[in-house]
Amino acid sequence: MTPYRRSPRALSFAVGHLRDDLAPQTLLATVQRAWPQAVGAAIADEAQPTAERAGVVTVSCSASVWAHELDLMAPAIIERLNGLLGGPRVARLRCVATPPRHRP
């Protein structure tokens, strides 16, 4: 007899697996997926990894105060990210303020 599930799974479960399968296999994409877990929801709402070059990850922040704060927290964030990524893949964070643009 084949076992079966008695209740349906949430669609988010299937979409999450599909997203992971289709995501590019670059360091930036990997960091973007790990970012919320590494920094927490409050920081992830204000700052996102937007570029990577040679292990230096650029983090775009909603305000200069966030960029400064993340510069101070960078060693701990890098340690958490590399722990989640399974090795020393991120060498440095470059935090920049890129406030949202207002349209006229």
Side-chain angles (χ1 to χ4, degrees):
M1 178 176 232
T2 304
Y4 60 92
R5 296 186 59 84
R6 293 183 184 257
S7 61
R9 287 185 177 177
L11 181 60
S12 61
F13 179 79
V15 171
H17 283 291
L18 181 61
R19 179 198 67 219
D20 291 343
D21 290 344
L22 296 176
Q25 298 303 313
T26 63
L27 178 56
L28 177 60
T30 305
V31 169
Q32 288 172 331
R33 285 190 297 273
W35 184 254
Q37 185 178 353
V39 299
I43 293 174
D45 286 344
E46 302 294 337
Q48 299 83 33
T50 54
E52 181 274 332
R53 184 177 178 121
V56 178
V57 175
T58 300
V59 178
S60 296
C61 303
S62 63
S64 60
V65 69
W66 278 107
H68 180 70
E69 187 68 23
L70 292 183
D71 276 336
L72 296 174
M73 297 172 62
I77 293 171
I78 291 168
E79 184 177 333
R80 285 194 299 269
L81 278 171
N82 284 333
L84 291 168
L85 301 178
R89 299 186 63 198
V90 176
R92 187 169 74 84
L93 295 183
R94 179 179 167 263
C95 303
V96 296
T98 54
R101 295 180 184 169
H102 294 89
R103 295 184 181 182

